[in-house]
Amino acid sequence: MSLLKVTDLGKSFGGNRAVDGVSFEVAAGELLALIGPNGAGKSTTFNMVNGQLRADSGSIKLDGTELIGRKPRDIWHRGVGRTFQIAETFASLTVVENVQMALLSADAKLYQLWQRAAQHKRDEALALLDQVGMKAQADRPCSVLAYGDVKRVELAIAMANAPKLLLMDEPTAGMAPKERNDLMALARRLAHEQSIGVLFTEHSMDVVFAHADRIIVLARGELIAEGTPCEVRDDARVREVYFGGGTTFERVAAEIGNA
Ligand code: ADP
Ligand code: MG
């Protein structure tokens, strides 16, 4: 049985069918990319899986349990993690303190405890930071980190509730090509080593084709293709719908070639 099974998912905003009968599955340990042009319905799909948006129709099952109708916090407790941008207010905390906050939250401890328990969960937080290669920078404030390092801390935070499924909506936005590749390689390693299913969106085709185990393609709310990177790249409909509209396939192919 797959970890996540999405069946005939639908969501409209007014008359706009943002997600229109989408079905796909994510297996444990698999890095699945969700791609498509702007407005294709990627974020809407993500937000239905994490419970921020309620689906109009269809089914979203995690290990056989229906998620539609559940609160985001319940879905999170059931093992759906997501990356959040580190909020401004937490930028003054150190790297390890940010992860400790996430661990406290995972335990439903009260924020006030924080003041009295500076050591609380520190070892666990350091272990998570170790997994993303940020242990050495644990005691620096997040505000002084390089952008790519902040993203790695965000990944450690998302790992705090030991997710079965990790959702990453444009995790590499604003990053340089090398940083993007490093972050996705890390996500892929964590997925494979810990059998976590990862569903991510990404604009950069070189990153998608280099790191995804499988790709699904949305266009105007509909799923138009799915398969391995090679299969999707050679799909005539993907070339037409996704790579069309101003970007020639040759240019995209060249970009992939330069990855
Ligand atoms: P993507 O993430 O693939 O760029 P989105 O899921 O954000 O696409 O958007 C899909 C469609 O739904 C777009 O036409 C967008 O304008 C519309 N949409 C998304 N969110 C809302 C919303 N909260 N209210 C109204 N329309 C929305
Ligand atoms: Mg989006």
Side-chain angles (χ1 to χ4, degrees):
M1 188 175 64
S2 42
L3 174 65
L4 184 77
K5 187 171 167 65
V6 172
T7 311
D8 215 13
L9 192 64
K11 179 76 186 174
S12 294
F13 296 107
N16 176 10
R17 287 191 66 77
V19 175
D20 193 359
V22 167
S23 301
F24 65 92
E25 299 187 14
V26 184
E30 175 181 52
L31 200 66
L32 180 67
L34 174 55
I35 67 171
N38 272 335
K42 304 181 297 294
S43 294
T44 303
T45 300
F46 266 72
N47 290 333
M48 287 191 278
V49 176
N50 68 36
Q52 299 287 322
L53 273 178
R54 191 182 173 121
D56 294 340
S57 55
S59 162
I60 303 172
K61 286 189 173 170
L62 182 78
D63 278 338
T65 300
E66 183 59 62
L67 298 185
I68 293 177
R70 294 183 189 278
K71 296 254 185 300
R73 193 158 180 91
D74 181 11
I75 292 172
W76 182 75
H77 273 297
R78 284 169 190 276
V80 178
R82 56 188 275 228
T83 48
F84 283 97
Q85 293 203 330
I86 290 174
E88 287 284 310
T89 43
F90 288 175
S92 63
L93 296 182
T94 65
V95 168
V96 70
E97 285 167 350
N98 264 284
V99 181
Q100 283 174 270
M101 284 295 295
L103 286 165
L104 282 172
S105 174
D107 269 1
K109 292 265 164 58
L110 295 171
Y111 175 75
Q112 289 89 307
L113 268 179
W114 177 250
Q115 306 296 335
R116 283 184 266 143
Q119 283 301 310
H120 192 70
K121 301 275 187 190
R122 185 178 159 93
D123 293 345
E124 224 177 300
L126 288 173
L128 283 165
L129 286 169
D130 201 18
Q131 289 184 10
V132 301
M134 284 298 293
K135 194 176 171 185
Q137 300 196 64
D139 294 314
R140 303 183 73 198
C142 277
S143 54
V144 305
L145 297 182
Y147 192 64
D149 289 343
V150 172
K151 294 287 155 185
R152 286 195 286 157
V153 176
E154 288 172 4
L155 186 54
I157 289 170
M159 298 286 290
N161 71 325
K164 297 177 192 169
L165 176 73
L166 186 58
L167 305 174
M168 303 168 83
D169 196 0
E170 300 191 27
T172 71
M175 293 174 88
K178 164 96 172 63
E179 288 182 318
R180 287 183 197 177
N181 278 300
D182 289 351
L183 186 76
M184 290 319 300
L186 172 62
R188 184 181 193 175
R189 182 169 60 74
L190 293 175
H192 290 185
E193 285 177 4
Q194 303 186 27
S195 272
I196 299 167
V198 178
L199 179 64
F200 74 104
T201 64
E202 170 62 53
H203 279 299
S204 164
M205 286 300 106
D206 59 341
V207 172
V208 169
F209 285 97
H211 298 288
D213 294 314
R214 216 153 51 80
I215 299 173
I216 55 180
V217 187
L218 284 186
R220 290 190 212 90
E222 290 183 52
L223 197 144
I224 61 160
E226 72 175 295
T228 63
C230 286
E231 287 164 354
V232 164
R233 185 169 41 196
D234 294 338
D235 187 285
R237 224 175 140 200
V238 174
R239 291 186 183 215
E240 189 186 306
V241 178
Y242 183 64
F243 297 123
T247 311
T248 67
F249 182 71
E250 285 66 30
R251 222 182 82 202
V252 175
E255 191 187 327
I256 295 160
N258 289 336

